Amino acid sequence: MLIDAAARLEPEALRCPFPAYAELRERGVTFVEAANAWLVTRAEDVDAVLRDPETFSSRNAIGAPPIPPQSELARHVPFLLLSDEPEHAQRRKLVQRAFTPSRLARFEPRIRELCTALVDDVRGQTEVDAMAALAVPLPIAVITTVLGVPDEETASFRSLSEELAATVGNHSADPGEIVRIAKEFAALLAPSLEAAAAAGEDEDTILHTIAAAERTAGLPRHDSTRFVMELLIAGNITTTDHLGNSILLLARDPGLADRLRADPSRLSFFIEESLRLESPIQGLFRLTTRDTEVGGVAIPAGARVQVMYGSGNRDAALVERPDELDLARHRPSAHLAFGRGVHSCLGNILARLESRVALETLLGSIPRFELAVEPDQIDYLPSFVNRGPQELPLRLTW
Ligand code: HEM
């Protein structure tokens, strides 16, 4: 099967896993040995799994085996992503209001300043790696801004979040190491959380909302801390990959970039198409809580299921001409890149805002940019979960 090479992380197959997904959609739900999971690839089946959290538990959502609830490690794992109902809904309610469009819109001017400063840093250069120059540094700077931690701590948060991210989905990650990073993280965050708690009713930043949840709903401090860690992980690599994938699409097609410069109202359509075609998270995991069936295929209780958003997004049953980038789709955001159902992405409004401002800045500041290497020289992350270029060499014309 074509998919085996991608699941074994062979670079060629990761560069373009889409024919393998097409083969799997033909077959329907299939157990893939190399992925050690039942792969769900049709849009309809992806939707069905995500909308049935009772049968498909999120306890293994990032791929690692479920963590025993009483263990020390359980106090440090993601607060929302790995929790099941009804606890998950109660938790999400406590923090949801920090992620609404009106709360996040206030950060737009600062996000624009951050993007402009990064583009100014490479002004006049004729060749740059767009990952190192923009896609990697921007998301962490944005998250620390919306959280409300001091700018001078961004670098420390970045290195801790990189250390933590390296443990995600890694079966051999040492639990003791994760606990050590989490404790270091808690110590770094404590002064900012204290400051937010002292600010009282004021609710400008995410930390203020979390401090309010501690005060009014008794949210324990270790839960606040792990929620912030979750945001740093969930919002960081994903947005980096999305920016990298989007810049790559534009660099491969300067005519498309010119169309967006001429008609900026199409930029939001482009962002949705980029998310759909090049989903930064290709697939996360679920654990079956009982014997069940998906798309007519029986799956036993206790099975590991990988839900392939990236394949569902290229299913002709979801959109017409699914492999084409179309700036005039009727329902451009009706894709699966942010998941569906109760666990759908909490940070999607922030991700879309950040992406729009970054791409507006890039298209507005650099008259022309194109790939400085052949497309088949772009290597993707060695991952069957995250999709994004490792490096993105561009030739710039000022
Ligand atoms: C383009 C960027 C992003 C993509 C593609 C993305 C994708 C996703 C997906 C697919 C899920 C669903 C997980 C599941 O089904 O189990 C999710 C959940 C989540 N995302 Fe995002 N995400 C992005 C950016 C962000 C940002 C910027 C933040 C926050 C700052 C964030 C925070 C979260 C959180 C907290 C969850 C867990 C929600 C829950 O379990 O209730 N994400 N994301």
Side-chain angles (χ1 to χ4, degrees), residues 216-237:
T216 59
L219 182 72
R221 178 56 58 93
H222 79 266
D223 280 347
S224 305
T225 305
R226 68 183 168 135
F227 178 55
V228 175
M229 288 201 307
E230 174 172 14
L231 293 178
L232 280 167
I233 303 285
N236 206 359
I237 306 182

PDB file of all heavy atoms in Angstrom, residues 216-237:
ATOM      1  N   THR A 216     -12.892  32.419  40.571  1.00  0.00           N
ATOM      2  CA  THR A 216     -14.343  32.222  40.658  1.00  0.00           C
ATOM      3  C   THR A 216     -14.761  30.753  40.566  1.00  0.00           C
ATOM      4  O   THR A 216     -15.809  30.384  41.072  1.00  0.00           O
ATOM      5  CB  THR A 216     -15.064  32.997  39.544  1.00  0.00           C
ATOM      6  OG1 THR A 216     -14.563  32.516  38.294  1.00  0.00           O
ATOM      7  CG2 THR A 216     -14.806  34.486  39.657  1.00  0.00           C
ATOM      8  N   ALA A 217     -13.946  29.918  39.903  1.00  0.00           N
ATOM      9  CA  ALA A 217     -14.374  28.520  39.733  1.00  0.00           C
ATOM     10  C   ALA A 217     -13.427  27.550  40.424  1.00  0.00           C
ATOM     11  O   ALA A 217     -13.558  26.334  40.269  1.00  0.00           O
ATOM     12  CB  ALA A 217     -14.460  28.192  38.238  1.00  0.00           C
ATOM     13  N   GLY A 218     -12.442  28.095  41.163  1.00  0.00           N
ATOM     14  CA  GLY A 218     -11.534  27.223  41.909  1.00  0.00           C
ATOM     15  C   GLY A 218     -10.617  26.399  41.032  1.00  0.00           C
ATOM     16  O   GLY A 218     -10.189  25.299  41.423  1.00  0.00           O
ATOM     17  N   LEU A 219     -10.302  26.901  39.826  1.00  0.00           N
ATOM     18  CA  LEU A 219      -9.368  26.162  38.952  1.00  0.00           C
ATOM     19  C   LEU A 219      -8.021  26.044  39.666  1.00  0.00           C
ATOM     20  O   LEU A 219      -7.423  27.057  40.037  1.00  0.00           O
ATOM     21  CB  LEU A 219      -9.193  26.936  37.631  1.00  0.00           C
ATOM     22  CG  LEU A 219      -8.296  26.302  36.579  1.00  0.00           C
ATOM     23  CD1 LEU A 219      -8.980  25.082  35.946  1.00  0.00           C
ATOM     24  CD2 LEU A 219      -7.950  27.307  35.475  1.00  0.00           C
ATOM     25  N   PRO A 220      -7.531  24.808  39.899  1.00  0.00           N
ATOM     26  CA  PRO A 220      -6.253  24.667  40.607  1.00  0.00           C
ATOM     27  C   PRO A 220      -5.086  25.219  39.787  1.00  0.00           C
ATOM     28  O   PRO A 220      -5.112  25.151  38.558  1.00  0.00           O
ATOM     29  CB  PRO A 220      -6.089  23.154  40.786  1.00  0.00           C
ATOM     30  CG  PRO A 220      -7.374  22.546  40.401  1.00  0.00           C
ATOM     31  CD  PRO A 220      -8.114  23.512  39.537  1.00  0.00           C
ATOM     32  N   ARG A 221      -4.052  25.722  40.464  1.00  0.00           N
ATOM     33  CA  ARG A 221      -2.907  26.334  39.784  1.00  0.00           C
ATOM     34  C   ARG A 221      -2.235  25.363  38.807  1.00  0.00           C
ATOM     35  O   ARG A 221      -1.804  25.746  37.738  1.00  0.00           O
ATOM     36  CB  ARG A 221      -1.926  26.864  40.841  1.00  0.00           C
ATOM     37  CG  ARG A 221      -0.648  27.500  40.306  1.00  0.00           C
ATOM     38  CD  ARG A 221      -0.884  28.658  39.334  1.00  0.00           C
ATOM     39  NE  ARG A 221      -1.655  29.778  39.818  1.00  0.00           N
ATOM     40  CZ  ARG A 221      -1.168  30.887  40.379  1.00  0.00           C
ATOM     41  NH1 ARG A 221       0.126  31.011  40.534  1.00  0.00           N
ATOM     42  NH2 ARG A 221      -1.962  31.859  40.766  1.00  0.00           N
ATOM     43  N   HIS A 222      -2.149  24.071  39.175  1.00  0.00           N
ATOM     44  CA  HIS A 222      -1.448  23.171  38.241  1.00  0.00           C
ATOM     45  C   HIS A 222      -2.248  22.983  36.948  1.00  0.00           C
ATOM     46  O   HIS A 222      -1.689  22.743  35.887  1.00  0.00           O
ATOM     47  CB  HIS A 222      -1.064  21.837  38.900  1.00  0.00           C
ATOM     48  CG  HIS A 222      -2.185  20.857  39.007  1.00  0.00           C
ATOM     49  ND1 HIS A 222      -2.977  20.748  40.117  1.00  0.00           N
ATOM     50  CD2 HIS A 222      -2.654  19.947  38.122  1.00  0.00           C
ATOM     51  CE1 HIS A 222      -3.878  19.805  39.915  1.00  0.00           C
ATOM     52  NE2 HIS A 222      -3.709  19.303  38.718  1.00  0.00           N
ATOM     53  N   ASP A 223      -3.594  23.148  37.031  1.00  0.00           N
ATOM     54  CA  ASP A 223      -4.392  23.082  35.798  1.00  0.00           C
ATOM     55  C   ASP A 223      -4.189  24.341  34.951  1.00  0.00           C
ATOM     56  O   ASP A 223      -4.140  24.273  33.719  1.00  0.00           O
ATOM     57  CB  ASP A 223      -5.889  22.926  36.129  1.00  0.00           C
ATOM     58  CG  ASP A 223      -6.234  21.476  36.465  1.00  0.00           C
ATOM     59  OD1 ASP A 223      -5.398  20.587  36.195  1.00  0.00           O
ATOM     60  OD2 ASP A 223      -7.334  21.241  37.008  1.00  0.00           O
ATOM     61  N   SER A 224      -4.072  25.508  35.625  1.00  0.00           N
ATOM     62  CA  SER A 224      -3.799  26.750  34.868  1.00  0.00           C
ATOM     63  C   SER A 224      -2.504  26.588  34.104  1.00  0.00           C
ATOM     64  O   SER A 224      -2.403  26.923  32.930  1.00  0.00           O
ATOM     65  CB  SER A 224      -3.620  27.952  35.802  1.00  0.00           C
ATOM     66  OG  SER A 224      -4.714  28.098  36.630  1.00  0.00           O
ATOM     67  N   THR A 225      -1.500  26.073  34.807  1.00  0.00           N
ATOM     68  CA  THR A 225      -0.169  25.966  34.208  1.00  0.00           C
ATOM     69  C   THR A 225      -0.188  25.018  33.011  1.00  0.00           C
ATOM     70  O   THR A 225       0.349  25.314  31.952  1.00  0.00           O
ATOM     71  CB  THR A 225       0.827  25.461  35.261  1.00  0.00           C
ATOM     72  OG1 THR A 225       0.760  26.339  36.375  1.00  0.00           O
ATOM     73  CG2 THR A 225       2.247  25.444  34.727  1.00  0.00           C
ATOM     74  N   ARG A 226      -0.854  23.870  33.174  1.00  0.00           N
ATOM     75  CA  ARG A 226      -0.804  22.928  32.043  1.00  0.00           C
ATOM     76  C   ARG A 226      -1.657  23.410  30.868  1.00  0.00           C
ATOM     77  O   ARG A 226      -1.410  23.079  29.720  1.00  0.00           O
ATOM     78  CB  ARG A 226      -1.165  21.513  32.460  1.00  0.00           C
ATOM     79  CG  ARG A 226      -2.590  21.288  32.880  1.00  0.00           C
ATOM     80  CD  ARG A 226      -2.691  19.852  33.324  1.00  0.00           C
ATOM     81  NE  ARG A 226      -3.929  19.573  34.000  1.00  0.00           N
ATOM     82  CZ  ARG A 226      -4.646  18.497  33.744  1.00  0.00           C
ATOM     83  NH1 ARG A 226      -4.249  17.639  32.845  1.00  0.00           N
ATOM     84  NH2 ARG A 226      -5.744  18.276  34.411  1.00  0.00           N
ATOM     85  N   PHE A 227      -2.662  24.247  31.166  1.00  0.00           N
ATOM     86  CA  PHE A 227      -3.434  24.806  30.058  1.00  0.00           C
ATOM     87  C   PHE A 227      -2.560  25.766  29.237  1.00  0.00           C
ATOM     88  O   PHE A 227      -2.570  25.739  28.006  1.00  0.00           O
ATOM     89  CB  PHE A 227      -4.689  25.519  30.579  1.00  0.00           C
ATOM     90  CG  PHE A 227      -5.496  26.156  29.485  1.00  0.00           C
ATOM     91  CD1 PHE A 227      -5.937  25.404  28.395  1.00  0.00           C
ATOM     92  CD2 PHE A 227      -5.795  27.508  29.518  1.00  0.00           C
ATOM     93  CE1 PHE A 227      -6.654  25.989  27.360  1.00  0.00           C
ATOM     94  CE2 PHE A 227      -6.517  28.096  28.489  1.00  0.00           C
ATOM     95  CZ  PHE A 227      -6.947  27.339  27.411  1.00  0.00           C
ATOM     96  N   VAL A 228      -1.774  26.587  29.938  1.00  0.00           N
ATOM     97  CA  VAL A 228      -0.875  27.501  29.218  1.00  0.00           C
ATOM     98  C   VAL A 228       0.161  26.710  28.409  1.00  0.00           C
ATOM     99  O   VAL A 228       0.455  27.031  27.257  1.00  0.00           O
ATOM    100  CB  VAL A 228      -0.190  28.487  30.201  1.00  0.00           C
ATOM    101  CG1 VAL A 228       0.824  29.353  29.475  1.00  0.00           C
ATOM    102  CG2 VAL A 228      -1.235  29.359  30.879  1.00  0.00           C
ATOM    103  N   MET A 229       0.672  25.618  29.004  1.00  0.00           N
ATOM    104  CA  MET A 229       1.623  24.777  28.250  1.00  0.00           C
ATOM    105  C   MET A 229       0.942  24.219  27.001  1.00  0.00           C
ATOM    106  O   MET A 229       1.528  24.162  25.927  1.00  0.00           O
ATOM    107  CB  MET A 229       2.108  23.599  29.109  1.00  0.00           C
ATOM    108  CG  MET A 229       3.056  24.007  30.201  1.00  0.00           C
ATOM    109  SD  MET A 229       4.066  22.642  30.805  1.00  0.00           S
ATOM    110  CE  MET A 229       2.899  21.393  31.222  1.00  0.00           C
ATOM    111  N   GLU A 230      -0.314  23.810  27.156  1.00  0.00           N
ATOM    112  CA  GLU A 230      -1.055  23.257  26.022  1.00  0.00           C
ATOM    113  C   GLU A 230      -1.181  24.301  24.905  1.00  0.00           C
ATOM    114  O   GLU A 230      -0.997  23.994  23.725  1.00  0.00           O
ATOM    115  CB  GLU A 230      -2.447  22.811  26.488  1.00  0.00           C
ATOM    116  CG  GLU A 230      -3.344  22.352  25.348  1.00  0.00           C
ATOM    117  CD  GLU A 230      -4.648  21.725  25.840  1.00  0.00           C
ATOM    118  OE1 GLU A 230      -4.983  21.878  27.039  1.00  0.00           O
ATOM    119  OE2 GLU A 230      -5.319  21.080  25.027  1.00  0.00           O
ATOM    120  N   LEU A 231      -1.469  25.546  25.291  1.00  0.00           N
ATOM    121  CA  LEU A 231      -1.625  26.594  24.277  1.00  0.00           C
ATOM    122  C   LEU A 231      -0.317  26.810  23.526  1.00  0.00           C
ATOM    123  O   LEU A 231      -0.312  27.012  22.310  1.00  0.00           O
ATOM    124  CB  LEU A 231      -2.054  27.911  24.920  1.00  0.00           C
ATOM    125  CG  LEU A 231      -3.454  27.926  25.525  1.00  0.00           C
ATOM    126  CD1 LEU A 231      -3.720  29.271  26.161  1.00  0.00           C
ATOM    127  CD2 LEU A 231      -4.509  27.619  24.462  1.00  0.00           C
ATOM    128  N   LEU A 232       0.783  26.787  24.278  1.00  0.00           N
ATOM    129  CA  LEU A 232       2.081  27.005  23.636  1.00  0.00           C
ATOM    130  C   LEU A 232       2.401  25.901  22.628  1.00  0.00           C
ATOM    131  O   LEU A 232       2.959  26.154  21.576  1.00  0.00           O
ATOM    132  CB  LEU A 232       3.184  27.078  24.687  1.00  0.00           C
ATOM    133  CG  LEU A 232       3.283  28.441  25.379  1.00  0.00           C
ATOM    134  CD1 LEU A 232       4.165  28.352  26.599  1.00  0.00           C
ATOM    135  CD2 LEU A 232       3.810  29.482  24.422  1.00  0.00           C
ATOM    136  N   ILE A 233       2.023  24.685  22.964  1.00  0.00           N
ATOM    137  CA  ILE A 233       2.299  23.580  22.039  1.00  0.00           C
ATOM    138  C   ILE A 233       1.291  23.593  20.888  1.00  0.00           C
ATOM    139  O   ILE A 233       1.651  23.538  19.719  1.00  0.00           O
ATOM    140  CB  ILE A 233       2.195  22.218  22.755  1.00  0.00           C
ATOM    141  CG1 ILE A 233       3.133  22.159  23.951  1.00  0.00           C
ATOM    142  CG2 ILE A 233       2.467  21.069  21.798  1.00  0.00           C
ATOM    143  CD1 ILE A 233       4.554  21.996  23.595  1.00  0.00           C
ATOM    144  N   ALA A 234      -0.017  23.690  21.257  1.00  0.00           N
ATOM    145  CA  ALA A 234      -1.073  23.551  20.244  1.00  0.00           C
ATOM    146  C   ALA A 234      -1.040  24.689  19.239  1.00  0.00           C
ATOM    147  O   ALA A 234      -1.375  24.500  18.071  1.00  0.00           O
ATOM    148  CB  ALA A 234      -2.450  23.496  20.913  1.00  0.00           C
ATOM    149  N   GLY A 235      -0.642  25.877  19.691  1.00  0.00           N
ATOM    150  CA  GLY A 235      -0.734  27.021  18.798  1.00  0.00           C
ATOM    151  C   GLY A 235       0.556  27.371  18.117  1.00  0.00           C
ATOM    152  O   GLY A 235       0.602  28.291  17.301  1.00  0.00           O
ATOM    153  N   ASN A 236       1.612  26.644  18.415  1.00  0.00           N
ATOM    154  CA  ASN A 236       2.920  27.046  17.954  1.00  0.00           C
ATOM    155  C   ASN A 236       3.331  26.324  16.664  1.00  0.00           C
ATOM    156  O   ASN A 236       3.365  26.933  15.589  1.00  0.00           O
ATOM    157  CB  ASN A 236       3.912  26.754  19.085  1.00  0.00           C
ATOM    158  CG  ASN A 236       5.104  27.642  19.025  1.00  0.00           C
ATOM    159  OD1 ASN A 236       5.224  28.473  18.135  1.00  0.00           O
ATOM    160  ND2 ASN A 236       5.999  27.472  19.962  1.00  0.00           N
ATOM    161  N   ILE A 237       3.564  25.017  16.756  1.00  0.00           N
ATOM    162  CA  ILE A 237       4.005  24.272  15.561  1.00  0.00           C
ATOM    163  C   ILE A 237       2.935  24.349  14.472  1.00  0.00           C
ATOM    164  O   ILE A 237       3.245  24.503  13.297  1.00  0.00           O
ATOM    165  CB  ILE A 237       4.232  22.780  15.884  1.00  0.00           C
ATOM    166  CG1 ILE A 237       5.182  22.631  17.062  1.00  0.00           C
ATOM    167  CG2 ILE A 237       4.762  22.031  14.680  1.00  0.00           C
ATOM    168  CD1 ILE A 237       5.472  21.195  17.386  1.00  0.00           C
TER     169      ILE A 237
END
